[in-house]
Amino acid sequence: MKRILLLAILSIFGLNNFVFANEGMWLPMFINRLNYQDMKKMGLQLTPEEIYSVNNSSLKDAIVMLSGGMCTAEAISKDGLLLTNHHCAFGTIQNNSTVEHDYLTDGFWAMSRDKEIPAKGMTASFLIRMEDVSDVVNAKLDGVSNAERNPIIKAVSDSIQAAATKDTHYNASVKSFFDGNEFYLFVYETFTDVRLVGAPPSSIGKFGGDTDNWMWPRHTGDFSMLRVYSGQDGKPADYSAENIPFHPRHHLPVSTKGVNKEDFAMIMGYPGSTDRYLTSRGVELAVTVDQPARVKIRGTKLDVWKEDMDQSDEVRIKYASKYAGVANYWKYFIGQTEQVKKNHVIEKKKAEEAEFQAWANTAEHKEEYGDVLANIESAYDNIEKYTLANTYIQEAVFGSEVLVMSYRLMGLRRALEAKNPDPIQLNAAIQAVKGRLDNFYKDYNAPTDQKLTAAMLKLTYEDVNHDQLPAYFLDLVKKNKNDFDKVASYIFEKSMIPNRDDLEAFLQKPSAKKMDKDPAIQLLGAFLGKFRGEISAAVGESYSALSVGNRLYVAGLKEMQPMRKFYPNANSTMRLTYGQVLDYFPRDAVYYNYYTTMDGIIEKEDPSNDEFIVPEKLKDLYNKKDFGPYAMEDGEMPVCFLTNNDITGGNSGSPVINANGELIGCAFDGNWEAMSGDIFFEKNIQRTIVVDIRYVLFIIDKYAGAKHLVDEMTLAKKSNPAVIEAKP
Ligand code: ARG
């Protein structure tokens, strides 16, 4: 009773919104001002400069953004060895697997550096510095209309980026924060020669599969290792056998001391996107309309793929990475929709909005903020009418691979538009398509895609308002008497895309006429025309009203709560989150310990289910308790642990760092009960799932026999050297 009263009083002053230590994805350049005292109280032993410094080497120099924000990795040796998740290298592992060399099933370990495999397309970016450029950008936005804002922001950002990278080999980006209220510059050094060094088999790296994904208790060895290479001069260079390992300015020492409940733990990495300032109406639209559609479409996609993958190893390998990507967010959306309800997120948002509205209604704020929430509401009213069309284009139309490839051909179609196409432009468009062919066809199975295309078009036809579908599509369906297998077989028989030879022959002598007769290209063109024409026109203004509304809402919240420490939404820029190693109660009377051991792997083993196969060699090591120096003091082998840090997608692979700046684990997931956490942080139950570094070392050394990789690291000694050696 008292507590409630106290909260009510505090809330009048807006003080209940003080963030708690574990919530928040903080910008490293501000921790000294905003977080350092708090971190020290929690046990941190480092100085702010040891975490983030522009002039001296600091933790930030060991943190790597992979492929522009897909994942995070960390440097763990002076020779550019990186640790990240298995699921972050999954595409590379898949891409290099064949039925004969199936690294997905068997794992891969380079026993010497010349055996490391180039991870085509993967990049590794190190942050050089960040800078607040809000004043520069906002100065240009004074008195500017909403329509003019984005082009101006783009132009100013371009010039800031150009100035920041002039005469360097760096790249830079200016990003918007707090929904367009603030702007920051990030300067990176980006390496393009990244190689796969090692990965456990999927039965370790993806143990538990989609059943355990997003859940605790977890027993996944979700890690892999990469290496960054530079040219002989130490600067970024494209792959060459002559390249040398890059020497990062800092690499994380690895601690085998282990973790205890409530130990200080922090994570640095590149969270991709959160929506913590989304309004209740936005949440409602997401969980009632958008996400159920995504779940339905993705579920169908997975069923179609799985059927073919189960029949053939070749198809299984081809579709493994696509399947994993679709499955990961299929389950994410199921979880988010469920937990938004269970955690009463809409109610909590509404309470915050009521407080805001009361404040905005006061004479002082009315003019600026009085209508903000009402404007957001009415923008959503219109957007809602087109939400399904939008979702189905993204998920179902672009779910069909033949339609995706058709989309890739649109540039060429435009180049052919002119009566006498400019030969330089035309050639560039042809080359752009040719450059994509290897990647596309390598993992393409036309019969699978034909089934998928039938299923995706059927769902689109059934679920989207026909006014919002293109006439060409409706006609095609009618002509085939609503038989979608027939629709798909018509497309696949007549289109040049399903067969690489046909498309290549066309590229020898491309013509607009031929493209316009291709049913896949026609269909995609029709969807695009409808979408970019009518639908965009119908919702464009609502989206811009929404972005104005969101900007003002966040600005108002900050003004309303001057004492609150705000942190910006994730946007693929470097962040730090700090907290503790911690257990939790997922529901009434149920307790989850903060760590798992190999006992749980054996408990979960199920040879009849490919998600729960335990490799013989792992069982052997377990039975002999042959854990090397990596076991806990009680002789058990730890696998994963929990922290209450605040992370999201993009953080995958991030280092979990102890009070002394040493690596204790690699973050790879969030927990089911807090799947609504990207929208509203759940202080009591939100957890980060981490693979314990001791399990990583054990797998590398004892399972894979790649001790040379452990030797390359800087190991921090065990405080209690009660080493449990192998006893048979
Ligand atoms: N949920 C994790 C993430 O988004 C990915 C885990 C991958 N494992 C799996 N079984 N699919 O970072």
Side-chain angles (χ1 to χ4, degrees):
M1 200 53 187
K2 252 189 195 153
R3 214 183 119 107
I4 292 169
L5 187 65
L6 180 68
L7 280 177
I9 293 168
L10 285 176
S11 96
I12 294 171
F13 298 99
L15 294 179
N16 63 326
N17 287 315
F18 267 117
V19 286
F20 295 90
N22 54 325
E23 175 177 1
M25 300 174 174
W26 305 97
L27 281 166
M29 70 184 275
F30 291 141
I31 48 167
N32 193 18
R33 175 154 62 80
L34 294 177
N35 316 108
Y36 186 64
Q37 289 312 321
D38 206 13
M39 293 167 82
K40 240 171 69 177
K41 259 183 245 147
M42 294 173 70
L44 177 70
Q45 301 290 318
L46 306 175
T47 64
E49 292 72 32
E50 286 172 313
I51 296 172
Y52 178 86
S53 165
V54 173
N55 301 313
N56 299 305
S57 75
S58 57
L59 289 187
K60 86 147 194 348
D61 296 313
I63 313 302
V64 174
M65 170 163 62
L66 283 183
S67 297
M70 168 192 71
C71 278
T72 303
E74 52 275 9
I76 52 168
S77 90
K78 65 173 185 19
D79 284 342
L81 188 63
L82 302 184
L83 179 69
T84 186
N85 290 148
H86 182 264
H87 76 262
C88 295
F90 198 72
T92 298
I93 301 166
Q94 180 273 332
N95 199 25
N96 287 285
S97 288
T98 57
V99 175
E100 297 75 40
H101 295 282
D102 184 353
Y103 302 139
L104 289 166
T105 305
D106 305 326
F108 167 81
W109 300 95
M111 288 302 166
S112 56
R113 292 196 183 163
D114 59 321
K115 298 282 182 344
E116 295 170 359
I117 301 175
K120 256 195 246 155
M122 199 185 269
T123 60
S125 301
F126 291 83
L127 179 67
I128 301 297
R129 65 186 179 92
M130 60 176 87
E131 189 183 326
D132 184 353
V133 294
S134 306
D135 289 348
V136 187
V137 180
N138 283 325
K140 306 269 185 204
L141 295 172
D142 226 22
V144 150
S145 78
N146 290 317
E148 289 167 299
R149 264 184 82 89
N150 284 339
I152 293 177
I153 292 171
K154 166 109 183 31
V156 190
S157 301
D158 284 349
S159 80
I160 294 172
Q161 287 161 197
T165 53
K166 190 166 180 279
D167 302 324
T168 72
H169 60 279
Y170 297 152
N171 59 297
S173 81
V174 171
K175 292 219 169 174
S176 142
F177 285 71
F178 294 112
D179 288 83
N181 286 291
E182 294 178 20
F183 300 88
Y184 291 80
L185 163 73
F186 297 81
V187 179
Y188 301 99
E189 183 173 37
T190 295
F191 292 81
T192 52
D193 185 355
V194 181
R195 303 184 197 172
L196 180 65
V197 174
S202 295
S203 53
I204 291 173
K206 205 178 190 295
F207 181 76
D210 293 320
T211 305
D212 278 6
N213 192 13
W214 300 110
M215 286 178 164
W216 183 260
R218 199 64 160 274
H219 299 85
T220 315
D222 196 343
F223 80 94
S224 66
M225 312 188 80
L226 307 166
R227 193 185 304 280
V228 190
Y229 281 80
S230 70
Q232 307 264 348
D233 58 359
K235 295 202 174 125
D238 285 343
Y239 173 82
S240 152
E242 267 74 67
N243 283 351
I244 57 169
F246 172 63
H247 306 301
R249 282 163 281 268
H250 182 70
H251 68 270
L252 298 176
V254 172
S255 166
T256 53
K257 287 174 267 184
V259 294
N260 289 302
K261 182 172 161 178
E262 291 175 12
D263 278 356
F264 177 86
M266 65 181 178
I267 293 178
M268 292 173 84
Y270 284 90
S273 124
T274 53
D275 250 322
R276 299 269 165 83
Y277 306 108
L278 188 65
T279 60
S280 57
R281 184 71 167 79
V283 182
E284 206 177 336
L285 182 59
V287 301
T288 56
V289 184
D290 177 66
Q291 295 188 357
R294 290 185 195 271
V295 170
K296 180 175 174 186
I297 299 165
R298 284 172 180 246
T300 304
K301 214 179 274 185
L302 294 174
D303 289 344
V304 171
W305 277 341
K306 183 114 198 346
E307 203 178 274
D308 286 11
M309 288 167 79
D310 283 347
Q311 310 254 326
S312 138
D313 276 340
E314 200 189 315
V315 179
R316 172 180 58 78
I317 292 172
K318 279 183 172 180
Y319 282 79
S321 187
K322 300 176 202 180
Y323 186 95
V326 170
N328 191 30
Y329 274 80
W330 161 75
K331 195 165 175 189
Y332 171 93
F333 289 126
I334 294 175
Q336 193 171 77
T337 300
E338 186 178 317
Q339 304 308 346
V340 159
K341 284 191 200 110
K342 281 206 180 128
N343 292 323
H344 307 288
V345 171
I346 292 177
E347 292 85 336
K348 289 191 269 198
K349 294 272 179 186
K350 281 192 169 149
E352 196 171 39
E353 287 155 24
E355 201 182 333
F356 177 89
Q357 194 58 54
W359 173 85
N361 284 345
T362 56
E364 206 185 329
H365 305 295
K366 197 162 181 64
E367 199 185 316
E368 207 168 351
Y369 298 112
D371 296 332
V372 167
L373 286 172
N375 290 343
I376 290 178
E377 186 89 16
S378 71
Y380 274 124
D381 286 342
N382 186 45
I383 288 170
E384 178 158 16
K385 296 180 197 146
Y386 300 89
T387 298
L388 279 183
N390 194 1
T391 307
Y392 274 76
I393 290 263
Q394 285 177 27
E395 294 270 346
V397 174
F398 282 111
S400 154
E401 294 176 85
V402 83
L403 294 179
V404 170
M405 194 58 181
S406 299
Y407 180 70
R408 308 272 179 238
L409 288 165
M410 288 295 145
L412 176 57
R413 179 65 191 81
R414 275 193 301 277
L416 290 166
E417 194 66 48
K419 272 230 171 70
N420 296 306
D422 168 14
I424 295 177
Q425 255 182 20
L426 184 60
N427 188 47
I430 295 171
Q431 294 313 321
V433 175
K434 281 192 175 161
R436 293 181 178 276
L437 298 184
D438 283 350
N439 248 344
F440 182 81
Y441 289 106
K442 181 182 165 298
D443 293 329
Y444 186 64
N445 188 48
T448 303
D449 190 34
Q450 182 170 335
K451 277 197 248 175
L452 188 73
T453 301
M456 294 293 101
L457 292 179
K458 182 165 188 282
L459 286 182
T460 304
Y461 184 83
E462 286 169 356
D463 294 351
V464 179
N465 185 337
H466 287 194
D467 293 345
Q468 295 171 15
L469 293 173
Y472 177 85
F473 176 52
L474 297 173
D475 277 355
L476 195 63
V477 177
K478 201 166 165 195
K479 272 189 204 137
N480 288 283
K481 305 205 165 59
N482 289 29
D483 182 336
F484 286 85
D485 291 334
K486 281 203 183 127
V487 172
S489 65
Y490 169 75
I491 295 171
F492 275 69
E493 267 159 39
K494 285 201 68 182
S495 173
M496 56 189 161
I497 295 172
N499 186 330
R500 180 175 184 155
D501 292 341
D502 293 347
L503 183 53
E504 277 187 311
F506 163 77
L507 291 174
Q508 295 300 322
K509 218 178 161 302
S511 77
K513 208 169 131 201
K514 186 126 200 252
M515 288 185 93
D516 292 344
K517 274 208 242 146
D518 187 297
I521 297 172
Q522 267 179 301
L523 183 58
L524 191 276
F527 272 111
L528 223 52
K530 184 83 180 179
F531 193 73
R532 289 194 175 151
E534 270 170 67
I535 296 182
S536 298
V539 288
E541 259 173 52
S542 302
Y543 274 111
S544 76
L546 191 59
S547 84
V548 176
N550 288 338
R551 185 172 80 246
L552 289 172
Y553 182 53
V554 174
L557 281 177
K558 289 178 101 174
E559 211 176 306
M560 177 176 99
Q561 302 161 332
M563 301 298 284
R564 173 175 165 191
K565 289 181 199 167
F566 279 84
Y567 60 90
N569 271 319
N571 62 355
S572 295
T573 57
M574 188 190 282
R575 303 299 175 89
L576 178 146
T577 156
Y578 57 98
Q580 296 172 307
V581 173
L582 209 60
D583 48 11
Y584 73 109
F585 288 89
R587 50 189 181 279
D588 190 32
V590 179
Y591 171 70
Y592 277 165
N593 202 0
Y594 66 94
Y595 70 95
T596 58
T597 70
M598 276 187 72
D599 291 352
I601 297 180
I602 303 303
E603 283 172 9
K604 284 179 178 174
E605 183 187 16
D606 177 358
S608 71
N609 179 346
D610 62 8
E611 293 184 322
F612 292 97
I613 290 169
V614 181
E616 279 311 312
K617 174 137 190 221
L618 194 62
K619 272 194 278 188
D620 239 39
L621 292 166
Y622 172 80
N623 288 331
K624 293 188 190 129
K625 300 249 179 272
D626 186 2
F627 300 140
Y630 309 113
M632 300 189 294
E633 269 139 40
D634 64 3
E636 297 269 337
M637 188 65 223
V639 180
C640 295
F641 67 86
L642 293 174
T643 69
N644 62 358
N645 293 307
D646 185 0
I647 69 161
T648 189
N651 267 121
S652 284
S654 295
V656 184
I657 300 168
N658 67 14
N660 297 311
E662 298 155 351
L663 184 69
I664 51 176
C666 188
F668 70 93
D669 212 353
N671 62 325
W672 190 249
E673 297 78 12
M675 291 294 279
S676 47
D678 284 346
I679 299 172
F680 194 101
F681 187 85
E682 292 298 335
K683 176 182 154 37
N684 293 320
I685 53 165
Q686 190 152 336
R687 295 292 179 264
T688 288
I689 303 177
V690 184
V691 56
D692 192 306
I693 198 66
R694 291 168 294 176
Y695 187 62
V696 171
L697 298 177
F698 160 73
I699 295 294
I700 298 172
D701 177 352
K702 303 299 292 187
Y703 179 84
K707 174 99 189 321
H708 60 285
L709 295 174
V710 178
D711 293 340
E712 199 186 320
M713 304 172 195
T714 306
L715 294 190
K717 293 268 139 47
K718 252 194 183 181
S719 55
N720 178 354
V723 177
I724 288 95
E725 272 302 345
K727 28 182 171 51

